[in-house]
Amino acid sequence: MAVAQRMYARALFEAAQEAGRVDAVAGDLAAIARAMDDVPELRAFLRNPQIDPAGKAEVLEQLTGDADELVRNFVRLAAEKGRAGELSDISA
């Protein structure tokens, strides 16, 4: 795992820990990682550097509609920062 991925993972973990929602956040992020593993098209879409980060954020927003608010905000931030394709690695 790259340093940046560890930093993102740690930041999300600490926010979830402060909110007392570690299990819910971990489960929701793991579900996104599973979706990326199960749907190669989703993984390819999120990793494609030619697709605008806002478009990736929009797709992730739809996928995480029922997820914990911390996860929804986190994946939007990750997409905006060009890290949407790394969500499964961050989840690990």
Side-chain angles (χ1 to χ4, degrees):
M1 180 184 303
V3 173
Q5 293 166 347
R6 273 192 236 120
M7 288 173 39
Y8 277 89
R10 183 178 311 272
L12 180 59
F13 174 76
E14 289 174 0
Q17 194 171 37
E18 285 179 26
R21 300 191 316 249
V22 171
D23 291 337
V25 167
D28 289 345
L29 192 59
I32 295 167
R34 278 192 306 278
M36 289 178 70
D37 290 341
D38 294 345
V39 183
E41 295 85 359
L42 175 62
R43 177 182 291 271
F45 173 81
L46 294 175
R47 289 188 172 178
N48 188 336
Q50 295 177 349
I51 296 175
D52 183 51
K56 294 176 186 181
E58 186 176 316
V59 168
L60 286 167
E61 185 175 326
Q62 292 174 8
L63 288 175
T64 60
D66 294 333
D68 187 280
E69 182 181 7
L70 284 172
V71 174
R72 290 192 319 265
N73 292 337
F74 178 79
V75 297
R76 185 178 60 243
L77 174 70
E80 290 170 356
K81 297 294 184 181
R83 303 264 181 203
E86 300 173 26
L87 286 170
S88 62
D89 296 325
I90 292 169
S91 176

